[in-house]
Amino acid sequence: MIKRILQKLPASIFSRERVLGVSKSRQKYDLPLAASTTNSFLRLLIALMSVLGLLALSASFALSAMTHRWSEGLAGKISVEIPATDSGGDVIDPSLVKSMTDDVAKILSAHPDVKEVSITEEKKIKELLSPWLGENMVMDSLPIPGLISVTMDEDGKTDLKELEAKLRDVAPRARIDTHESWLTDVVRFTGALQFAATLLLVVIGATTLVAVAGGVRSKLSENKEELELLHLMGASDSYIARQIQKHTMILSLQGGIMGVVAGGIVLIGISMVAGHMSINLIPEFKLSALQKIILVGLPIPIAMLAMITARYTVLRVLTKMP
Amino acid sequence: MIRYEHVGLRYGIGPEVLEDVSFTLEPGSFHFLSGPSGAGKSSLLSLMYLGRMPTRGLIKMFGQNIGEMNRDQLASIRQRVGVVFQDFRLLGHMSTFDNVALPLRIQGRPEKEIKNNVTELLDWVGLGDHKFALPSTMSGGQQQRVAIARAVITRPRLLLADEPTGNLDDEIGFRLMALFDQLNRMGTTVVIATHNQQIMNKFAHNRLILDKGRMHIEEGTKKGGLRQRLEGVY
Ligand SMILES: Nc1ncnc2c1ncn2[C@@H]1O[C@H](COP(=O)(O)OP(=O)(O)OP(=O)(O)O)[C@@H](O)[C@H]1O
Ligand SMILES: [Mg+2]
């Protein structure tokens, strides 16, 4: 096409001139996006945000696992205590406590809503008590209450007050404990922590968003002339936005991967330390396969968020050009 | 093809730089745009390549009222206009080749076609050895040739040039005028802003003359094709 024009013209008369600086490889982007300090700033910032995001997200996972296990483990479970003292505070004969416990267990077993009944052995109770009282204190002389663990049917519509009254016929001070009040507190507490973790995630996301928008804006004003030129050559808004959003996405992906690797190391460290603590209260911190995938894949939503923000920012800046 | 009716332009709250400008450019016409420095030549060109919108008046390009177009339509109009800027506006991070290829890439042309056409044109403007040179390493005249090559590479329907011969010696200036003339013969409408009396006299095209924001049109003094005169030159 150009040939048709050129062949109608006299041959070139320009003399050959010496060539100085060269750039052989085609530039990836029409705007000089590659050479900019904004790049390393943005990458580092995204990396840090990813570390925080990873930690907040795994904390949220751990908390929800904790709540789930606790309420799962305790659902439908009640325990019945037959105190070793009478209403006056005097110690009851241990054999009487034992027979009362057996009677109560019999009534419970006969109840249609009860699935399983097990009397906690004296030895086990002593074991449970020893950390608090010390080996030596837990002597045979110590009054040991009767403890019965009961598993109820799942639907849990049983009237426990009525059941308790029935039990008191054979053991006047028998007491049903549903763990409910304790569980409610725990669930409320972990719920609050989980809310905090989620809030943290939102703040991290918003910070990333603002930083990316700012980074893109500063990049655009750095390259204002080039941007204007592309616009004047008839580059559509989305043509220009595509380049910047692609560049931002790649940067964010790099930053995100850096962050997830660093955050992953921190997490592994934490779980190793926690593993050594052997606290029975805290259910083991184990992530499901899905949760692991979400954590490892965290750079992807981050890069997407950054990309969408970049696109939106470019389109906004471009509307200032006619 | 291009029609201006009572067009005015002001920058911000300043005075009107262009006042009530009206003219029509027929398809395939060739005009010089002249007038003293500060008369508004570059401003008028910036309206013509849709770098700005007028503050008043009606502008029709290629039969469409630009005031009624959306952004994508404006972009597609811009793709049909080639511009040689007074200050070249080459992209410093790109080689000569990529600078000239840019409008074709924006238009999404196949890379093979781009390679052939750009190489051919760069050879013709004498920059075949400078394909990979960065603009900053080239002389003003060389940069201007890159700018001109970039403006004509798409064979635009409208070619605008702002002092395209300013940095070139007469011989090279005439050669580039011959390139514009050839494009014009093949259907491109051309408007060239220039102070260069010699060039205007040599190529007797109609003149749009701007003075203090107002325009009048002078018919070309000489009639006849450019080709005969060119053959005299070379
Ligand atoms: N971006 C701008 N902002 C404000 N005023 C401007 C701007 N560009 C040009 N002007 C003013 O508009 C007037 C016309 O300028 P313009 O550049 O169009 O003249 P010109 O005919 O191209 O001059 P020259 O021959 O020196 O290139 C001048 O008074 C100039 O100061
Ligand atoms: Mg000017």
Side-chain angles (χ1 to χ4, degrees):
Chain A
M1 189 185 72
I2 285 290
K3 203 174 202 142
R4 280 210 299 139
I5 297 166
L6 298 182
Q7 71 197 9
K8 296 219 166 100
L9 292 161
S12 187
I13 48 143
F14 300 106
S15 57
R16 305 201 144 210
E17 290 129 340
R18 211 155 56 83
V19 182
L20 300 167
V22 297
S23 155
K24 286 217 169 185
S25 61
R26 182 186 166 191
Q27 298 290 320
K28 214 155 143 200
Y29 304 106
D30 297 341
L31 293 168
L33 300 174
S36 164
T37 47
T38 319
N39 291 350
S40 39
F41 163 76
L42 206 60
R43 201 186 287 119
L44 183 67
L45 189 118
I46 299 253
L48 292 175
M49 289 299 160
S50 309
V51 172
L52 293 178
L54 189 78
L55 293 182
L57 199 58
S58 35
S60 164
F61 286 159
L63 287 167
S64 92
M66 219 184 256
T67 318
H68 186 70
R69 272 163 200 244
W70 271 329
S71 37
E72 179 97 312
L74 295 175
K77 292 248 163 84
I78 59 174
S79 55
V80 180
E81 188 196 346
I82 294 95
T85 51
D86 62 22
S87 50
D90 295 324
V91 177
I92 307 171
D93 179 10
S95 63
L96 185 59
V97 173
K98 201 163 167 14
S99 75
M100 280 199 294
T101 308
D102 289 340
D103 291 345
V104 166
K106 253 180 230 143
I107 296 176
L108 285 169
S109 305
H111 196 281
D113 290 349
V114 171
K115 242 175 38 191
E116 210 185 311
V117 176
S118 87
I119 300 175
T120 313
E121 284 170 37
E122 204 173 303
K123 215 176 89 204
K124 187 80 194 288
I125 298 175
K126 282 182 186 166
E127 257 176 40
L128 287 172
L129 290 175
S130 62
W132 275 277
L133 305 177
E135 286 298 338
N136 298 334
M137 279 294 288
V138 191
M139 291 165 301
D140 292 335
S141 61
L142 194 79
I144 301 296
L147 271 183
I148 305 168
S149 304
V150 184
T151 309
M152 308 291 290
D153 267 346
E154 295 298 319
D155 48 11
K157 284 270 174 272
T158 324
D159 185 346
L160 293 176
K161 281 269 166 281
E162 197 189 301
L163 182 61
E164 199 175 49
K166 222 184 244 172
L167 298 181
R168 282 184 180 169
D169 290 344
V170 291
R173 298 192 66 216
R175 207 170 60 220
I176 292 181
D177 182 359
T178 57
H179 313 292
E180 221 159 56
S181 60
W182 180 75
L183 192 63
T184 319
D185 282 350
V186 168
V187 168
R188 200 177 288 147
F189 178 63
T190 51
L193 286 181
Q194 229 178 324
F195 177 73
T198 311
L199 198 68
L200 192 61
L201 272 179
V202 170
V203 170
I204 290 166
T207 311
T208 310
L209 216 126
V210 170
V212 169
V216 168
R217 268 177 195 279
S218 91
K219 214 176 246 303
L220 291 180
S221 57
E222 236 173 84
N223 303 314
K224 191 166 185 304
E225 281 173 24
E226 289 87 350
L227 188 71
E228 202 173 76
L229 185 76
L230 286 183
H231 180 70
L232 292 180
M233 284 180 165
S236 67
D237 293 352
S238 57
Y239 176 94
I240 296 173
R242 259 203 306 280
Q243 302 207 357
I244 294 166
Q245 81 199 32
K246 183 177 163 200
H247 181 252
T248 310
M249 189 197 71
I250 290 171
L251 274 185
S252 313
L253 211 53
Q254 291 169 345
I257 289 169
M258 278 160 54
V260 163
V261 168
I265 292 170
V266 172
L267 267 189
I268 289 168
I270 289 177
S271 69
M272 269 163 62
V273 172
H276 282 302
M277 290 196 297
S278 71
I279 303 171
N280 289 335
L281 259 182
I282 299 175
E284 224 180 326
F285 175 50
K286 265 221 177 99
L287 294 168
S288 71
L290 178 68
Q291 289 171 330
K292 277 182 194 154
I293 290 171
I294 291 174
L295 289 180
V296 170
L298 194 62
I300 294 169
I302 290 176
M304 288 295 157
L305 179 75
M307 188 179 93
I308 292 165
T309 311
R311 179 182 180 80
Y312 179 76
T313 311
V314 175
L315 292 180
R316 289 253 329 221
V317 169
L318 283 174
T319 55
K320 299 213 180 75
M321 296 182 187
Chain B
M1 159 146 139
I2 289 170
R3 189 178 176 83
Y4 274 54
E5 285 176 21
H6 311 294
V7 170
L9 173 71
R10 63 170 86 234
Y11 292 100
I13 53 161
E16 272 199 319
V17 168
L18 298 174
E19 296 171 28
D20 201 32
V21 170
S22 301
F23 63 92
T24 302
L25 301 182
E26 297 300 337
S29 62
F30 196 129
H31 287 83
F32 286 121
L33 174 62
S34 74
S37 179
K41 300 184 292 296
S42 299
S43 302
L44 179 61
L45 289 181
S46 75
L47 286 181
M48 295 177 83
Y49 57 73
L50 304 183
R52 299 179 190 287
M53 289 294 158
T55 34
R56 64 184 168 103
L58 174 82
I59 298 180
K60 277 192 164 177
M61 290 187 81
F62 313 122
Q64 289 163 280
N65 179 353
I66 62 157
E68 292 169 356
M69 286 188 212
N70 65 29
R71 293 181 69 78
D72 283 340
Q73 288 171 319
L74 289 174
S76 86
I77 296 274
R78 288 190 188 99
Q79 290 186 2
R80 289 184 251 167
V81 181
V83 190
V84 184
F85 297 96
Q86 197 164 10
D87 52 357
F88 319 145
R89 301 205 199 171
L90 301 178
L91 295 182
H93 68 296
M94 277 186 187
S95 65
T96 298
F97 182 93
D98 285 335
N99 265 288
V100 176
L102 187 57
L104 296 174
R105 287 184 175 140
I106 286 173
Q107 294 181 11
R109 302 281 184 80
E111 209 52 38
K112 190 161 170 278
E113 176 195 327
I114 293 176
K115 190 162 190 291
N116 291 339
N117 283 341
V118 174
T119 307
E120 194 108 27
L121 183 60
L122 281 178
D123 281 339
W124 190 82
V125 297
L127 294 174
D129 291 341
H130 293 255
K131 255 202 225 173
F132 303 114
L134 291 171
S136 57
T137 65
M138 299 199 287
S139 73
Q142 289 172 328
Q143 290 183 28
Q144 191 152 30
R145 273 137 62 192
V146 177
I148 289 167
R150 186 180 64 185
V152 304
I153 190 71
T154 56
R155 260 191 82 189
R157 285 184 64 187
L158 172 65
L159 179 71
L160 306 172
D162 205 347
E163 302 285 353
T165 55
N167 285 275
L168 302 173
D169 58 46
D170 283 352
E171 196 183 8
I172 293 178
F174 285 132
R175 266 188 68 75
L176 289 170
M177 288 301 295
L179 172 63
F180 294 153
D181 192 68
Q182 187 55 46
L183 281 160
N184 176 242
R185 281 159 189 275
M186 298 178 86
T188 298
T189 307
V190 180
V191 177
I192 292 175
T194 184
H195 283 123
N196 192 324
Q197 208 59 45
Q198 218 188 336
I199 285 192
M200 282 193 281
N201 289 340
K202 203 143 220 153
F203 303 89
H205 297 297
N206 291 345
R207 297 180 193 178
L208 304 171
I209 298 174
L210 269 177
D211 198 4
K212 295 192 184 109
R214 299 204 163 253
M215 176 183 278
H216 66 275
I217 300 174
E218 277 179 14
E219 297 270 311
T221 45
K222 289 189 212 163
K223 294 282 165 199
L226 173 67
R227 183 140 280 268
Q228 290 96 3
R229 269 171 285 118
L230 264 181
E231 275 153 8
V233 173
Y234 300 108

